[in-house]
Amino acid sequence: MSATLHGMPERFDVIVIGGGPAGATCAGLLAKEGRTVLVLERERFPRYHIGESLIPVGMRPLQELDLLDRMEARGFERKYGGSLVWGNRDVPWNFSFMKAAEGTYAYHTRRADLDTLILDRARELGAYVVEETTVKDVIQSDTGRVTGVRFTLRGSAGDYEASASLVVDASGQSRVIGRKFSDITWHNELRNVAVWTYYDNCDRLPGDEWTNILIEGTADGWFWGIPIDKGTMSVGYVTKSDLANADDQSLEQLFLRERDKTTRLKGLLANARQHAGYRTARDWSYTNETFYGDGWVLVGDAAAFVDPLFSTGVALATLAGSSLSKVVNRILEHPAIEEKALDRYAGNYRAFFDEIRNFVERFYDRTKYKEYYYDLAQEIVDPEQLHAPSTDFVTLISGLSGKHPLLKINLDDLVANVTEP
């Protein structure tokens, strides 16, 4: 059997393992710059995934991919803010993204549709996308540098090989390369379990809250309620893993018991019909100890993931994918800057992630009033107190502070150092 697939080059500029939002964004933007890119995806799209609510900063990479008009045409539900039952005495309150920037919004989506849209766009831009593949191992040179991957194709006997100047691991929690070269740190404050399902014929929040995500706290956890489209809602419950294992109830029984203790959510579901089974996830907040190595780099959930309280998953994945594409493009132009450029990317990525994680961990203290959470956000994004704390809160959870280096990694000094006579 040929070592390469029919119609494909033997060598690429970049191989991306995983065609989810991080991998497809990185691949698409590199292909847009004229790079030869191979995407190896384990599933056949469209495929199911959780994480259906976006935040405004995630619109930036989607705009770079020229996808916003297509999202509108597909009828994705616009998201203008959030409604919470959270804090001392569980007093309801809400926020609007418009407070951070006029005209700002995000979307609620079915991830199967969104992820397919991004991966198809990567194809349009010139990336080679092969689905239903399993990456078995990396290929390394005598010096240990990763120079390619070995993979199988569903229904086909034998292995295939592909080589590249750089390999990007965007394989999500599979961590194909990360698992080989890096340990992970679990964030014990966020060792949670989630159980979720879907309902039809749901009511909506009133007035300006019509498309808001609902976040409602209970004594031992919290619920999300995401209006995906029309009367369909994604509903999930999150609690600490040790509490979920404290009695003999199943996670489904725990979900139902806690759902009946809610106020606003229970009202929205009064006439609803459950139309899907239950799904679960556990202990998902982690960070890789190493984000890159000789010939390889991590992005998206393969690098780190944080609790879904503020719907940062897709935005962090696409932002990192976009930033990494720019870094990799400069590395391909100036290979000598690889280690320092990837180190800068990794440092900025880790700092951005830690900022979100630290805020989420402290936000979980529900003994406070909303003013405490506003002040906490101001402490992180606006220590000079140039804006109102409530504005800083929206700015932070929108990802729109615009100050973080991950949004604009500058490598000019590294390039200058290697191009001087």
Side-chain angles (χ1 to χ4, degrees):
M1 175 178 291
S2 172
T4 58
L5 290 174
H6 176 75
M8 290 197 179
E10 294 183 359
R11 181 172 177 80
F12 296 84
D13 292 323
V14 180
I15 294 171
V16 178
I17 306 171
T25 298
C26 184
L29 292 176
L30 280 167
K32 193 175 182 180
E33 292 297 318
R35 303 300 180 182
T36 56
V37 185
L38 172 63
V39 180
L40 298 173
E41 166 55 41
R42 183 179 59 187
E43 305 294 338
R44 180 70 176 171
F45 279 39
R47 57 93 173 94
Y48 175 82
H49 208 286
I50 192 60
E52 297 131 331
S53 192
L54 312 184
I55 58 174
V57 73
M59 299 300 100
R60 294 182 180 183
L62 296 175
Q63 187 171 30
E64 290 182 274
L65 290 165
D66 302 314
L67 286 177
L68 296 188
D69 287 343
R70 299 188 190 189
M71 295 176 72
E72 285 288 315
R74 293 286 292 269
F76 290 165
E77 187 85 58
R78 284 195 181 189
K79 171 188 175 183
Y80 290 99
S83 299
L84 300 96
V85 183
W86 195 273
N88 195 291
R89 299 181 183 176
D90 288 331
V91 176
W93 50 291
N94 59 71
F95 63 87
S96 170
F97 293 139
M98 305 284 279
K99 195 172 183 68
E102 189 67 26
T104 299
Y105 61 90
Y107 290 98
H108 302 300
T109 73
R110 296 180 187 274
R111 282 288 303 279
D113 295 335
L114 175 66
D115 293 4
T116 300
L117 198 65
I118 301 173
L119 186 60
D120 284 347
R121 180 59 177 152
R123 278 193 181 94
E124 285 182 16
L125 291 168
Y128 293 84
V129 178
V130 185
E131 297 174 87
E132 300 183 311
T133 63
T134 300
V135 175
K136 307 299 288 187
D137 202 357
V138 296
I139 300 170
Q140 295 178 263
S141 68
D142 293 339
T143 64
R145 179 178 176 83
V146 171
T147 59
V149 297
R150 186 171 296 107
F151 64 97
T152 59
L153 185 67
R154 185 174 299 169
S156 181
D159 293 350
Y160 295 92
E161 293 183 356
S163 61
S165 299
L166 202 65
V167 179
V168 174
D169 184 356
S171 62
Q173 295 185 19
S174 297
R175 298 175 50 247
V176 171
I177 292 182
R179 196 176 299 274
K180 184 180 182 70
F181 293 111
S182 174
D183 292 327
I184 61 173
T185 298
W186 293 99
H187 303 298
N188 290 327
E189 291 298 318
L190 299 173
R191 296 200 77 159
N192 294 333
V193 59
V195 53
W196 67 93
T197 186
Y198 296 86
Y199 292 86
D200 278 337
N201 200 42
C202 302
D203 289 330
R204 289 290 191 96
L205 293 168
D208 292 341
E209 300 177 75
W210 180 258
T211 64
N212 281 6
I213 183 174
L214 174 64
I215 299 172
E216 180 163 355
T218 62
D220 295 322
W222 61 276
F223 277 90
W224 75 69
I226 301 172
I228 296 177
D229 57 37
K230 300 183 177 65
T232 300
M233 184 175 287
S234 168
V235 179
Y237 177 64
V238 179
T239 189
K240 288 192 173 298
S241 295
D242 55 355
L243 293 178
N245 298 328
D247 55 39
D248 294 331
Q249 287 194 107
S250 67
L251 289 176
E252 293 81 2
Q253 291 170 323
L254 177 65
F255 175 96
L256 295 172
R257 185 188 73 192
E258 296 301 310
R259 182 199 63 186
D260 291 340
K261 295 178 182 178
T262 62
T263 55
R264 300 197 84 182
L265 177 64
K266 186 166 63 175
L268 299 181
L269 299 179
N271 300 309
R273 302 179 297 263
Q274 184 177 347
H275 75 270
Y278 292 97
R279 294 175 180 263
T280 64
R282 289 179 180 271
D283 299 336
W284 59 80
S285 293
Y286 58 85
T287 307
N288 275 268
E289 295 181 4
T290 304
F291 278 33
Y292 72 95
D294 194 5
W296 61 270
V297 59
L298 310 179
V299 70
D301 292 357
F305 186 76
V306 71
D307 185 275
L309 182 58
F310 286 116
S311 306
T312 54
V314 175
L316 189 57
T318 55
L319 273 178
S322 171
S323 293
L324 181 59
S325 73
K326 297 173 178 60
V327 170
V328 169
N329 197 47
R330 298 300 295 276
I331 290 171
L332 294 172
E333 293 171 349
H334 307 281
I337 73 170
E338 179 182 312
E339 183 177 2
K340 290 182 178 179
L342 292 182
D343 188 65
R344 190 166 296 181
Y345 156 80
N348 290 335
Y349 191 0
R350 187 184 300 275
F352 190 65
F353 174 84
D354 285 343
E355 182 177 287
I356 296 170
R357 178 180 58 82
N358 289 332
F359 181 71
V360 170
E361 287 180 354
R362 295 170 71 181
F363 194 86
Y364 260 102
D365 181 355
R366 297 210 338 267
T367 66
K368 312 297 185 182
Y369 291 96
K370 65 180 180 182
E371 288 77 15
Y372 166 83
Y373 307 122
Y374 292 166
D375 290 341
L376 176 58
Q378 185 174 70
E379 175 187 323
I380 294 173
V381 303
D382 183 23
E384 301 88 358
Q385 300 182 357
L386 301 177
H387 307 287
S390 58
T391 300
D392 291 330
F393 174 80
V394 177
T395 298
L396 177 60
I397 64 174
S398 303
L400 292 173
S401 62
K403 299 177 182 178
H404 205 283
L406 179 65
L407 303 177
K408 44 183 182 296
I409 298 176
N410 191 328
L411 303 176
D412 289 346
D413 59 320
L414 300 183
V415 172
N417 288 339
V418 300
T419 55
E420 287 178 354

